[in-house]
Amino acid sequence: MIELEPGNTLDISLKEDAQGRDRVEVTLQSPGCSLNLTPHQARVLATELIMAVNRAEVRSNLKHSQNVVRSAPPAEHRRGLFNQSFAK
């Protein structure tokens, strides 16, 4: 069970249908919504979720990297500091 927000949970469980086949059931508690997926469909959903999370992490890292680069002193200033420390 995953708590999305207070009073709203997502539950993932393995069930068996009337013919004895495995089904993955994803239930959102609050609105009472449920997905009944085959194992293959559940695997595809999981893969899509993982890919979306990876894209979000890459975006976040790129934004963070751009902010670090923007806040870094210009190269000329850094060279000046480097030369000053060895000029003594």
Side-chain angles (χ1 to χ4, degrees):
M1 184 181 309
I2 302 166
E3 186 170 15
L4 303 174
E5 55 190 42
N8 195 4
T9 60
L10 181 69
D11 188 40
I12 302 170
S13 57
L14 181 62
K15 304 275 181 164
E16 206 172 273
D17 68 9
Q19 288 78 32
R21 295 176 298 208
D22 286 336
R23 305 294 286 187
V24 176
E25 188 173 84
V26 180
T27 306
L28 188 58
Q29 178 194 16
S30 185
C33 178
S34 180
L35 286 175
N36 193 343
L37 307 170
T38 65
H40 175 73
Q41 291 170 325
R43 185 177 296 109
V44 170
L45 175 63
T47 301
E48 292 293 326
L49 281 169
I50 290 167
M51 290 181 356
V53 169
N54 286 340
R55 285 192 301 271
E57 288 173 345
V58 166
R59 274 188 186 175
S60 175
N61 288 339
L62 286 174
K63 287 178 184 176
H64 177 71
S65 295
Q66 288 173 351
N67 289 339
V68 169
V69 169
R70 287 184 188 142
S71 66
E76 298 155 1
H77 180 66
R78 283 187 304 220
R79 270 191 243 119
L81 293 174
F82 178 77
N83 289 337
Q84 289 173 6
S85 63
F86 286 100
K88 294 180 182 177

